[in-house]
Structures are given as structure tokens and as C-alpha cells.
């Protein structure tokens, strides 16, 4: 299992625009359509990564708890499906149904969106405020496959709760750790 850390995009960065197809509905979604009134969470995930499999249930709970409070959600899969066919859109759709994703699961075939967000691993989380400025990036919580720490979404939940309480999100943020994004041509980030 490879262990790659988030690039930790600079706080305050404006969310890069995207327009991607949702593998569940077949609809095209833009950042503006995903955007929530309180904030927006963009998650880079995939089907095969054990780090993502470890947190899938919690990201579904997280969305269920915070969408109703004004947060928008989207998951993006940017891996090279030619060399990693388990991440193919057909399999993305199957995974989304299995885990009952109620947020769009978007396919970034060109990998341009992952590059724009400087995403490095799966899972990689980016939380933007109501103005689409980055306020949190990094890990869901301290749990990793096999480390015995329960998956509870603590770090990300604390950031979202701070937004709801009109408090500043702490600058002390830990990078996410997961499988590296499977680049087609090893582009420079």
C-alpha cells in the first residue's frame, strides 16, 4: 500500500472551476451547482484504494449530517482507468450505489481538475467557505487502515462545525494520507 500525503494547497486559494460528468446520474455538474450556502467539500477518492475503502461509510455519514446544514458535496475520481480499470466509471457507479452516495461522484478523465486542485492522494479533502475560498485541506481524521483508531471524521467535522458556529477554522491541519493519484503521463504539479 503506497502512502502519499496531501500537497496542502494554500489556505485562501479560490476553488478551481470544474464541469464533470456524474457517473450516478449521467448529468454534468459544475462547481457552482455543487456549491453550498455555508461551504463546499470536494473529495478526491477512487474505487480501489484501501484508504478510501476505510473511510467510505464516514464520508456518507458526513454528507448526511452536513448537507442539510448548507454544505455542498462532490467526490471526484481522477485516476488513469486504462492502467487501473477497477476505477472505470462503470465501477465508480457500482461503488456509489453500494455505499449509497447521495452526492455526485464525478469522473475527471483528463485529470485537469486534480491538477488544478493539486490533489495528490485518495482520499484528499478540500473544504471551501461560502465564497469558495479554501479553509481546510487534509485528513478526515487520524484513522488509517490497520491503526486501530476509529473512523469518526473528527478533523473535517471540527472544521465544518467551526463554519457553522461562525468561528475561524484552525490553521493546524494534518495532511491526508492515501494512495497516490494514478497519473496518465506523470504530469508536473
Amino acid at each position: 500500500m503506497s502512502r502519499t500525503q496531501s500537497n496542502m494547497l494554500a489556505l485562501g486559494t479560490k476553488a478551481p472551476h470544474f464541469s464533470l460528468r456524474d457517473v450516478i446520474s449521467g448529468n454534468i455538474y459544475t462547481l457552482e451547482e455543487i456549491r453550498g450556502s455555508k461551504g463546499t467539500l470536494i473529495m478526491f477518492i477512487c474505487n480501489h484504494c484501501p484508504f478510501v475503502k476505510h473511510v467510505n461509510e464516514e464520508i456518507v455519514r458526513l454528507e448526511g449530517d452536513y448537507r442539510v446544514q448548507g454544505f455542498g458535496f462532490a467526490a471526484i475520481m481522477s485516476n488513469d482507468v486504462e492502467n487501473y480499470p477497477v476505477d472505470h466509471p462503470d465501477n465508480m457507479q457500482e461503488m456509489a450505489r453500494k455505499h449509497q452516495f447521495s452526492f455526485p461522484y464525478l469522473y475527471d478523465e483528463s485529470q485537469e481538475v486534480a491538477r488544478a486542485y493539486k490533489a495528490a492522494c485518495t482520499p484528499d479533502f478540500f473544504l471551501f467557505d461560502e465564497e469558495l475560498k479554501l479553509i481546510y485541506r487534509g485528513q478526515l481524521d487520524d484513522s488509517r487502515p490497520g491503526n486501530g483508531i476509529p473512523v469518526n471524521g473528527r478533523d473535517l467535522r471540527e472544521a465544518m462545525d467551526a463554519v457553522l458556529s461562525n468561528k475561524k477554522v484552525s490553521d493546524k491541519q494534518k495532511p491526508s494520507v492515501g494512495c497516490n493519484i494514478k497519473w496518465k503521463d506523470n504530469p508536473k504539479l
Side-chain angles (χ1 to χ4, degrees), residues 57-174:
E57 289 180 19
E58 178 58 24
I59 63 176
V60 169
R61 280 192 296 271
L62 189 80
E63 191 267 350
D65 293 344
Y66 289 90
R67 178 178 295 277
V68 295
Q69 297 185 66
F71 286 92
F73 287 77
I76 299 173
M77 200 298 295
S78 301
N79 283 348
D80 173 6
V81 299
E82 186 174 313
N83 289 307
Y84 295 85
V86 71
D87 289 330
H88 187 276
D90 292 340
N91 295 325
M92 290 171 62
Q93 186 178 65
E94 184 179 315
M95 187 180 102
R97 286 193 174 126
K98 175 184 173 187
H99 292 285
Q100 300 178 345
F101 287 180
S102 54
F103 48 84
Y105 192 14
L106 308 171
Y107 179 39
D108 177 22
E109 183 176 8
S110 71
Q111 301 184 318
E112 289 175 12
V113 177
R115 286 187 205 112
Y117 279 77
K118 298 196 182 322
C121 60
T122 58
D124 212 349
F125 299 94
F126 299 84
L127 179 63
F128 298 90
D129 67 12
E130 72 281 353
E131 297 175 1
L132 294 174
K133 291 182 182 171
L134 187 65
I135 54 174
Y136 180 86
R137 75 286 194 244
Q139 71 176 13
L140 180 68
D141 57 35
D142 288 326
S143 183
R144 304 287 185 269
N147 76 357
I149 298 172
V151 179
N152 58 20
R154 179 178 168 208
D155 294 47
L156 193 48
R157 286 177 180 274
E158 285 178 0
M160 296 171 99
D161 288 342
V163 170
L164 293 173
S165 300
N166 294 316
K167 295 180 180 172
K168 184 180 182 313
V169 175
S170 173
D171 290 343
K172 292 181 182 178
Q173 300 175 9
K174 297 177 186 175

